[in-house]
Amino acid sequence: MMLTQAPSSIMRSRNSRDHTVNSGGSCLSTSTVAIPAINDSSAAMSACSTISARPASSVDTQMHSPKKQERVKKRVIWGIEVAEELHWKGWELGKETTRNLVLKNRSLKLQKMKYRPPKTKFFFTVIPQPIFLSPGITLTLPIVFRPLEAKEYVDQLWFEKAEGMFCVGLRATLPCHRLICPPSLQLPMCAVGDTTEAWFCLDNVGDLPTFFNWEFSSPFQMLPTMGLLEPGQASQIKVTFQPLTAVIHEVQATCWYGAGSRQRSSIQLQAVAKCAQLLVSIKHKCLEDQDAEGFQKLLYFGSVAVGCTSERQIRLHNPSVVNAPFRIEISPEELAEDQAFSCPMARGVVLPGEKKCVSVFFHPKTLDTKTVDYFSIMPSGCASKTLLKVVGFCRGPAVSLQHYSVNFSWVNLGERSEQPLWIENQSDCTAYFQFAMDCLESVFSIRPAFGTLMGKARMTLHCAFQPTHPIICFRRVACLIHHQDPLFLDLMGTCHSDSTKPAILKPQHLTWYRIHLARGLTLYPPDILDAMLKEKKLVQDQNGALMIPIQDLEDMPAPQYPYIPPMTEFFFDGTSDMTIFPPPVSIEPVEVDFGACPGPEAPNPIPLCLMNHTKGKIMVVWTRRSDCPFWVTPETCDVPPLKSMAMRLHFQPPYPNCLYTVELEAFAIYKVCAHNEREECGVSAGSLNGWVGQGVTEGGFGLHPLRARLSVGWTAAPMGLSPPKLLAQ
């Protein structure tokens, strides 16, 4: 350091001797007192002021970093640490600007030197004098710059030691544009079709705000491609490399800037592109997963329950030294909502030398089908794709009944008979079932009428028979099962009263009835069949069923009851225009909607037409619950052969603002046997079977759900009973 006493002015020596004097004329020592250092000052300083400059701390570079403080490059010459150059920027004409030159003794001995003032009149300092620096001591020498013209100034300040001479450059420049960037940038190795990136810093080391614009070529991309940098600011430039060929890429990117974009800075971009490899294998491979020829793999899911989802995995291995991006695509032949196979990972990346497991799911929607589809596993770039074949089978619930007929035999009028029946699901998937009948309005009932069967589960049903008239009752009820064909349950029973005892219906009678149905004999009443049997126009086969004699059939075998698919039987049951066998009795309409019913008066009855298609007189009996809001009149009637009967359907809602829906049930028997026991009827077994087959219409004939709405005032509000529950989806 230097102990100083401020002189009255700054003077330059006009002779060859280098010395410094103060107002007292004494020589100054630099080894006694330390003066604290302060920051650089742009104002003019007194000749004897002593200032030391500290370099500013580095600032983290962002997209546009704040203005950086200029760092002074230093060097050590013969034990003296000194700046290489003092640089003046942002100066103004006629104003003095001072920069401090700091000299520090880095050696372990006393340093003695002297200096010469700058040659030009634009740079000057204190009057030269000998300098003595003890070890570790710092001397601050102020240099003043006073410009007179707007041009660049260059000078030197020479120091002389015993070992030799060295100089410090003095330079003052005009404001200019200047951007600098690294000369080259090496990007990481990349797979063809993949993307890699790197960053470098573009610095504005000039004195003016500078616009820049990058010029580059593929397969490199740079962001931002243009921008504005304030003096001292820096911008992080992102370089993206996306090669299309496996070669070494080397491209020069040029940054144009300055007035008219005539200045430029360049950076050499270098990157290596390689082809990635991807090996596909089956994880937990089973015997069915056999590789086909070529690049095709087989993934076998086996049998999966409908509505369930099965998962299997494939393994992707990347043996190369670069990332292996890939895409997985399914065959586009089907709509997305119809596809049974799916892969959530549509794209991804396998790191070098690593493995990735990808899940493939099978969620079948169509029963009893084999589903085949294809996935394409496509690595990026030039690697060949792998075709993955996926195969799966769909199975549904396997619901069965303990028996497919329930015989209540005979029951006295007013009594109730009940029998258990279990329903079982032999599959491992959940089943939903519902019996297609209104148990509240029928003489037969099943509890529960609907429900859920878990896999490998069994449930007990309670079937009941409570007749309302002394007649023969038979009903074939469909059990609807989600994802399975319906099952059919035959419910039969006979009601006796003190005065009326019809023949008891048995399962064998139903077997005969179905055979007679196929042979076209069910439209004849039992008395006619009995007469034809006596006249040898009909004979009995080995099972006891009636048939036309063989000679009349021209040696053709007698028809048998055919197999009818369950879904066909359910939809073509005789209640619509399409039917398998002509119904013996029909009614129109089968669906009635009373609409919005104004209360409190009952709506007008709706006419019904009941038609007898048989060649005998029948008796029709309607089942009615006492508190049912719907009923038919007359409740009991006789219908002549091939004739129709007009009836009325009534509706009396007991409560407003409710919705009512029911299914009404009726049974029809031949009049000739309606009130006689088998022995009193005087018919043979064959004709009795004909009577049973015709007198009991399959399933009766029912009005399908009736709907009604009641309107109160001007506000229409629905009213009714809860509708039958649908199968769970």
Side-chain angles (χ1 to χ4, degrees):
M1 288 295 187
M2 181 173 63
L3 181 64
T4 63
Q5 184 176 358
S8 58
S9 61
I10 299 178
M11 297 173 291
R12 294 191 59 186
S13 174
R14 296 184 180 273
N15 52 31
S16 59
R17 299 183 58 186
D18 297 331
H19 63 276
T20 303
V21 295
N22 58 11
S23 58
S26 61
C27 183
L28 301 178
S29 171
T30 62
S31 59
T32 54
V33 181
I35 305 296
I38 62 174
N39 294 334
D40 293 350
S41 173
S42 60
M45 301 178 61
S46 63
C48 296
S49 297
T50 304
I51 301 175
S52 63
R54 296 180 180 176
S57 61
S58 62
V59 180
D60 293 338
T61 304
Q62 301 176 357
M63 183 59 69
H64 289 290
S65 61
K67 184 175 180 179
K68 300 179 181 179
Q69 295 186 8
E70 184 178 0
R71 292 185 177 183
V72 178
K73 294 184 179 180
K74 296 184 178 181
R75 57 183 175 174
V76 177
I77 301 177
W78 298 311
I80 301 297
E81 182 184 82
V82 64
E84 294 181 358
E85 181 185 67
L86 291 184
H87 189 195
W88 279 261
K89 293 182 179 181
W91 43 268
E92 298 180 16
L93 293 177
K95 293 185 178 180
E96 294 184 352
T97 306
T98 302
R99 297 291 303 270
N100 293 321
L101 180 64
V102 179
L103 296 94
K104 185 174 183 179
N105 184 2
R106 292 287 189 179
S107 65
L108 298 178
K109 62 179 182 179
L110 180 67
Q111 294 279 4
K112 178 181 179 182
M113 71 183 77
K114 58 183 178 178
Y115 62 93
R116 300 176 184 176
K119 296 181 178 180
T120 65
K121 61 180 179 179
F122 308 106
F123 298 95
F124 56 93
T125 182
V126 296
I127 299 175
Q129 61 179 345
I131 299 174
F132 298 89
L133 286 178
S134 300
I137 299 302
T138 299
L139 170 69
T140 302
L141 185 64
I143 310 295
V144 181
F145 170 60
R146 181 187 297 160
L148 299 179
E149 298 181 57
K151 65 176 184 178
E152 184 174 349
Y153 296 88
V154 178
D155 207 337
Q156 292 176 331
L157 181 64
W158 285 91
F159 292 88
E160 184 178 349
K161 292 177 82 277
E163 294 88 347
M165 300 178 64
F166 64 91
C167 70
V168 175
L170 306 177
R171 185 165 60 93
T173 57
L174 292 171
C176 63
H177 297 281
R178 189 184 179 197
L179 301 181
I180 60 172
C181 61
S184 63
L185 179 65
Q186 180 70 48
L187 280 82
M189 190 179 300
C190 181
V192 174
D194 194 15
T195 301
T196 187
E197 59 187 34
W199 301 75
F200 69 90
C201 190
L202 178 67
D203 290 294
N204 184 1
V205 296
D207 308 297
L208 300 174
T210 304
F211 286 95
F212 66 90
N213 183 27
W214 282 100
E215 184 180 274
F216 51 86
S217 59
S218 93
F220 296 94
Q221 298 288 331
M222 304 180 74
L223 287 175
T225 57
M226 60 181 62
L228 171 65
L229 287 178
E230 297 292 336
Q233 279 189 335
S235 174
Q236 288 283 356
I237 305 299
K238 176 182 177 181
V239 181
T240 302
F241 176 54
Q242 190 172 9
L244 300 178
T245 55
V247 296
I248 298 176
H249 295 267
E250 188 169 352
V251 170
Q252 179 174 289
T254 304
C255 178
W256 295 95
Y257 64 93
S261 296
R262 291 189 295 269
Q263 295 177 256
R264 67 178 182 179
S265 293
S266 299
I267 182 172
Q268 198 74 14
L269 304 178
Q270 300 173 348
V272 178
K274 288 183 173 292
C275 284
Q277 298 181 21
L278 203 59
L279 304 180
V280 182
S281 60
I282 308 296
K283 187 177 182 181
H284 305 308
K285 191 172 183 179
C286 59
L287 294 177
E288 292 81 1
D289 299 326
Q290 298 296 330
D291 291 349
E293 297 180 359
F295 294 97
Q296 180 173 300
K297 304 286 182 179
L298 176 62
L299 186 62
Y300 183 77
F301 282 85
S303 182
V304 179
V306 63
C308 299
T309 300
S310 177
E311 177 184 3
R312 292 203 63 185
Q313 290 186 329
I314 57 176
R315 185 184 293 109
L316 306 180
H317 174 52
N318 177 15
S320 56
V321 296
V322 293
N323 291 343
F326 64 90
R327 291 183 295 115
I328 300 180
E329 295 181 356
I330 194 170
S331 173
E333 296 179 358
E334 297 183 2
L335 298 177
E337 57 269 16
D338 296 334
Q339 291 175 346
F341 297 96
S342 63
C343 179
M345 186 178 293
R347 60 184 67 246
V349 177
V350 184
L351 299 180
E354 294 190 3
K355 299 178 181 180
K356 181 185 288 288
C357 292
V358 178
S359 296
V360 180
F361 295 93
F362 177 47
H363 35 87
K365 303 175 184 178
T366 306
L367 285 174
D368 303 326
T369 57
K370 176 182 177 181
T371 306
V372 179
D373 217 328
Y374 295 88
F375 285 92
S376 297
I377 305 171
M378 297 174 288
S380 65
C382 53
S384 59
K385 71 177 183 180
T386 300
L387 192 64
L388 177 66
K389 181 180 180 181
V390 286
V391 179
F393 295 88
C394 176
R395 69 176 186 276
V399 178
S400 60
L401 297 173
Q402 180 184 9
H403 308 293
Y404 291 93
S405 66
V406 177
N407 183 16
F408 293 95
S409 188
W410 65 275
V411 177
N412 288 324
L413 184 63
E415 294 181 354
R416 175 186 172 92
S417 177
E418 185 172 314
Q419 293 188 22
L421 176 73
W422 53 252
I423 183 172
E424 183 180 22
N425 181 15
Q426 298 177 350
S427 176
D428 55 359
C429 66
T430 304
Y432 306 92
F433 71 92
Q434 177 181 357
F435 286 92
M437 68 178 299
D438 188 349
C439 296
L440 295 177
E441 305 301 331
S442 175
V443 296
F444 299 102
S445 63
I446 301 175
R447 292 183 297 107
F450 60 90
T452 302
L453 270 177
M454 305 305 294
K456 306 294 183 180
R458 177 183 293 184
M459 179 186 298
T460 300
L461 306 175
H462 300 277
C463 303
F465 175 50
Q466 188 173 5
T468 59
H469 296 81
I471 57 173
I472 297 172
C473 298
F474 164 69
R475 182 160 182 174
R476 186 168 174 84
V477 181
C479 178
L480 304 179
I481 303 168
H482 193 40
H483 293 308
Q484 182 181 323
D485 286 341
L487 303 176
F488 290 92
L489 177 65
D490 292 330
L491 302 174
M492 65 188 78
T494 306
C495 178
H496 287 179
S497 66
D498 295 338
S499 59
T500 305
K501 299 183 183 298
I504 299 175
L505 183 62
K506 297 179 181 178
Q508 181 61 47
H509 297 150
L510 296 182
T511 302
W512 287 335
Y513 165 72
R514 293 189 173 100
I515 296 176
H516 290 174
L517 188 64
R519 295 174 181 177
L521 301 177
T522 56
L523 298 180
Y524 296 94
D527 54 345
I528 295 179
L529 293 178
D530 185 60
M532 295 175 67
L533 183 62
K534 292 179 180 179
E535 296 173 0
K536 306 300 183 180
K537 294 181 180 180
L538 294 177
V539 296
Q540 291 180 279
D541 61 11
Q542 58 183 359
N543 296 321
L546 298 178
M547 59 176 289
I548 299 175
I550 301 250
Q551 59 271 15
D552 296 338
L553 293 177
E554 298 180 356
D555 297 331
M556 294 180 60
Q560 299 294 324
Y561 189 76
Y563 168 76
I564 302 175
M567 294 301 291
T568 302
E569 181 178 355
F570 178 75
F571 285 106
F572 300 155
D573 59 352
T575 59
S576 62
D577 295 337
M578 298 293 293
T579 181
I580 301 173
F581 297 106
V585 181
S586 63
I587 189 169
E588 291 183 0
V590 295
E591 293 186 359
V592 178
D593 189 351
F594 280 85
C597 303
E601 297 180 358
N604 294 328
I606 292 180
L608 303 177
C609 180
L610 187 144
M611 290 161 284
N612 178 11
H613 302 285
T614 70
K615 294 177 174 58
K617 181 184 288 189
I618 63 172
M619 183 181 72
V620 178
V621 179
W622 287 91
T623 301
R624 183 194 175 190
R625 178 169 48 89
S626 59
D627 57 347
C628 180
F630 299 93
W631 71 95
V632 176
T633 58
E635 185 175 341
T636 302
C637 66
D638 296 337
V639 185
L642 303 175
K643 300 295 182 180
S644 62
M645 175 65 69
M647 297 183 174
R648 294 289 184 270
L649 176 63
H650 301 266
F651 174 48
Q652 179 61 61
Y655 305 104
N657 301 324
C658 296
L659 174 67
Y660 297 90
T661 174
V662 298
E663 179 187 57
L664 298 183
E665 177 184 72
F667 294 93
I669 60 174
Y670 280 112
K671 182 68 175 179
V672 67
C673 296
H675 302 288
N676 296 298
E677 297 184 11
R678 173 180 174 180
E679 294 76 13
E680 297 175 354
C681 193
V683 295
S684 63
S687 60
L688 173 62
N689 175 66
W691 163 71
V692 171
Q694 186 54 43
V696 184
T697 62
E698 271 194 290
F701 53 92
L703 291 180
H704 286 254
L706 301 176
R707 295 177 296 277
R709 290 182 297 175
L710 179 62
S711 170
V712 180
W714 292 100
T715 305
M719 51 181 304
L721 198 64
S722 298
K725 295 183 181 294
L726 299 179
L727 293 178
Q729 297 299 321

